[in-house]
Amino acid sequence: MLDTPEAVVEALRENHDRPHGTQRTVTAEELVEAAEVFDEPDTLVTALLELMTAYEFTGEQRKSPVVFARLLKLWDTAPKSFSAWEAHQVFWRFKWVTTSLLQVPEMPLATVRGWIDTMRERYEEAGHGMQPVAAMRHHVAAHTGTGVDDAYDLWVTRPRTELSDCEACETRHRAWHRVAAGDDAGALDTWGPVLAGEQGCSEEPQASQARALLPLLRLGRADEARSHHLTGYRRVRGNTGMQHEVGLHLEFCALSRNEGRGLEVLAENRPLFEATGAPLDRLGFLTGVEVLLARLVEDGHGETPVAGPPGRNWTADGLLAHVRAETDRLAAAFDARNGTTAVGDRRRERLARRPLLDEPLPLGLRTAAAPRAAAGAVPAAPAAAGSGAPGVPEDFVALVAEARRLNHLGHPGDTRLWARIAERLADGPAAHDDRVGPEELLRAELAEERAYRLRQEDEDAESGAELETAAGLYEELGMEWRALAARARALAWTTGEDDADAERDEAVRVRLDRLVREAERLKDEAPLSGGKAGEGEAAAGVDVAADRVLAYLTVLYADAYTAYQEAMRREPEESGAAPERFREAVGRLRAEAERLGVPHQVANARQFVADEAGRRGDVALAESELRAALVDVEASDRPWRGSRPRALLAQIMLSRQEPAEAAELLHRALADAVRYDDADFPVAPTYSLLGHASSHLGDHAGAVRHLSEAAALFDRGGDHEDAAGVRLQLADVLADSGRQADAVAVLESLLSEESAAALDERMVAQIRLSLARGLRELEEYLPSAEEFLRLAGTVAGWEDDAPIRTLVTADTAIALALADRWEAAEAAYERALTAHAEAPNPPLIVRMTREFARLTAAARGAEGVEDALAHLARADAVLDAVPADAEGFAVWYERGEVRYRRARVLTEAERFEEALAEAEAAIAVHEEGGEHGELPRAEAVRFAALVEGNGLGRTGDAIARLTTAAARCRKADHPEAAQVLDALRQDYLSRPRD
């Protein structure tokens, strides 16, 4: 019941602790009504200030001036009703009213300027400096586009006062002035302290992060733009008080070619369409929406479903028309009020921007809402970069001739050409031309290409059928060698990767043996080095001898591949027919390739040997064979064949902790795959490996870039489990490099409903665990606790993994306590102890009990000391049950930390002698850790000295203790710890002593 002023004040205090939003605003309005009943202006003052705050931070600036007018009247009639803080707020909020009036186009500009004059008069009367007034004049000038430079100079040349905006907000305005002047680099230099986290407030750095996105993209600083989008967007998501910033993030998605991400951002902020209390910020939001939708419509995605104002279903083009009508009206209203075109010009400038990148910027996020391709649209074949990539002739005969030439060379760029040939024949622009030879030849070649594509899609039966079709056509043309090679590949590609069909595999081996014998017979009867070309061979336009050699070696390769598959299915130590057959088949391929001078097939044989050796653990042989294979590739004049052995060698280098060479190999592999248009090269796994190598080299920016690229590529290929695994690694790299907020954004994207549904339950659990811990690091305790509770519900049914349940339950208890949900925390604490009894996890339980001791003492002070000590006693009991030689568990460290925590708890109760004894016990226990115990020992010494000097008044003893300990730290090469101890020592030395 709000029947007394005290009850209203208590309700105001509770409401102030709520997050900004509709509930807080409505309650604030109700509390003003309740305060008006009492004849106590001080209560009404507090209520009005709370209501004005609610309006300011929920985008209801239309209403702020009315509330402030009431406050100002109370200030004039009952100034003693204002506390010192409230009196300061009266002058502070003059600025809020100025910006609120600018937000409303119906408010005449003369009224806004008149208000600033009033603000100046009030400041002068109270003896306040004029810099805040100059700042408001600059805001008006920047908004209207008139007298901007003069107003800026008058503002920035005046000294700051206690009523100036915070440094972070002023930095934002100075930086934005430079952006408007076209100086992106200078703006980012100005923004440095805010973007680096050195300056901040309730609006910063998120407001600046949104504004810095465009300058960063324009300057090519994409890695920084990615980071500020990830962290900045989390802070403004769904916030009606920052709808303009949400609009800037939408614009960033369009300009970085991340339209799918933009659609997700739009969906997450659908309520902002109903936020009308700050028209200028609304215009900023809707313009960002307009930029995104215009990109979608322009790219042919006008029918894509999108999230818009509630009440109907929207498509991109329908919502664009709706938004455009309102933004046209709003911009026109502001320009009419201002008598300039500045607002409309800024909107038109945003709408005229085009994407600043050629390819989508990998954000590292799982994006589910990718726009659908327009009906009937056929994606254009990508143009490969670099001089090694073939062109696509327009003339059909030239196109076929070039495809055949590249195919004979084994050049990966032939894939696009065959696809183009098939497309032209299927769509009708080209009919068969006798100049390309018999129609059966082209049909056979296209069947082979289809077979290869089907093989890439794991459609082995269909692939084999296409190769049999090709073989039949080649036979009709008298091309025995090509028919033989096609049939050999068909058999090799039907070999299973497991032992599920041993009878089938035996039949394959028998038929392959027959084909190898047939190849040997043909070789003996018609030498490979020459002979008359048949009709088909002549039409193919290739060297007959070279073509037959390649076909012969293709048969041997198919035999070696089949033997390789069988050997790889066996246990590494297994003997018998399979290893022997592997050695024989691969040896024959290598010997014949060397004899016939075909080094790329020698390289293939070496790769088989390297793979098999690596599986057996013979890393030295695997490495030497791969290095030799790369030499063979160089000798083959087929440089595009080096990408795969380089990637394999890079894996070995990573296993040998040589990331620098691994990174160099992977960069070269990727560069060659792009240069030679190798669409089948496993780019996503290679980027993943490169990210791993970069992280080991300490190149965190490179690791983030490469892992983000890998995740996007895996998603594009439908490999969502692999993409999720890469994003988990990406989150670890981000967290390790101090970018925990970025890591959390990545993890959150993996737990959207659609994303999580595509993943294994245990992977989802791992993601949720990482997210919960990340949120805890960010001190977002309640969201962290919620994630831990969800995780606890998941693992509760894992009967085969009891230790995981102990871990999760203990972490959940800590998270709930940090979130100040003590009743739930204590229940989880007891569940964790029960789980520990069933599946012991001493390190985690000890940490949990220590944390509960710390948090209990912090929350309840001296009243919580006994409960805190009880938690520590339980920690001692857990440690007593752990063997002293427990592997992987430093019992000495845990005992020392328990002693240290007990010393701190006892200090809370001013039981200083007991606290000193515990601190000294902690010092002694950490001695057991040798060099590993030096730093925790130094901290225990520091606290013992605090107890001695501050609690017991024995500064002399404290100084002696600190002198010895600092010297010890310097000797142990811990200069920072020594500096901390020396600083406390100097503090004691500076104090007067009896």
Side-chain angles (χ1 to χ4, degrees), residues 168-187:
C169 287
E170 290 205 338
T171 295
R172 177 178 76 243
H173 293 302
R174 288 199 305 273
W176 196 245
H177 177 77
R178 303 195 76 165
V179 172
D183 183 9
D184 286 342

Side-chain angles (χ1 to χ4, degrees), residues 772-793:
R773 288 175 170 173
L775 289 166
R776 184 173 64 199
E777 288 297 312
L778 293 177
E779 299 184 3
E780 296 182 26
Y781 296 130
L782 186 56
S784 171
E786 290 169 350
E787 291 298 335
F788 273 121
L789 286 169
R790 292 186 186 101
L791 179 59

Side-chain angles (χ1 to χ4, degrees), residues 91-114:
F91 290 97
W92 183 270
R93 297 191 187 196
F94 267 98
K95 299 179 296 180
W96 288 14
V97 175
T98 302
T99 54
S100 295
L101 293 173
L102 272 182
Q103 282 278 347
V104 183
E106 296 84 4
M107 187 62 61
L109 204 58
T111 302
V112 180
R113 288 179 170 139

Side-chain angles (χ1 to χ4, degrees), residues 819-861:
D820 203 26
R821 299 296 193 269
W822 280 99
E823 186 175 344
E826 288 163 359
Y829 180 97
E830 294 301 326
R831 287 197 301 273
L833 293 175
T834 302
H836 173 68
E838 299 172 3
N841 192 331
L844 209 64
I845 295 300
V846 171
R847 184 169 72 86
M848 179 186 76
T849 52
R850 281 208 320 268
E851 274 294 279
F852 264 70
R854 180 181 72 84
L855 293 169
T856 299
R860 295 168 54 195

Side-chain angles (χ1 to χ4, degrees), residues 447-448 450-452 454-455 459-472 474 481-496 504-505 507-509 511-512 515 551 554-559 561-562 565:
E448 279 196 289
R450 284 195 300 273
Y452 188 74
L454 289 164
R455 168 69 173 167
E459 301 288 348
D460 294 338
E462 293 83 351
S463 173
E466 290 286 352
L467 284 169
E468 285 295 339
T469 298
Y474 285 134
W481 277 110
R482 285 214 181 177
L484 200 62
R487 288 203 167 96
R489 284 207 305 275
L491 288 170
W493 289 355
T494 57
T495 305
R504 178 203 60 195
D505 290 348
V508 167
R509 281 195 295 272
R511 293 175 64 189
L512 261 175
L515 288 178
T554 297
V555 174
L556 298 187
Y557 176 88
D559 186 45
Y561 176 80
T562 305
Q565 289 286 0

Side-chain angles (χ1 to χ4, degrees), residues 14 65 73 90 95 104 140 144 151 187 203 260 299 347 404 413 461 537 550 556 568 574 663 708 741 846-847 933 988:
E14 291 178 6
K73 184 175 181 180
V90 169
K95 299 179 296 180
V104 183
V140 173
T144 61
E203 296 180 9
D299 287 346
R347 173 174 169 263
R404 285 172 174 167
E537 290 172 322
L550 289 177
L556 298 187
M568 295 296 279
E574 187 176 332
S708 297
V846 171
R847 184 169 72 86
Y988 282 149

Side-chain angles (χ1 to χ4, degrees), residues 374-404:
V378 177
S387 59
V392 182
E394 282 301 317
D395 178 72
F396 186 71
V397 174
L399 177 62
V400 173
E402 180 66 0
R404 285 172 174 167

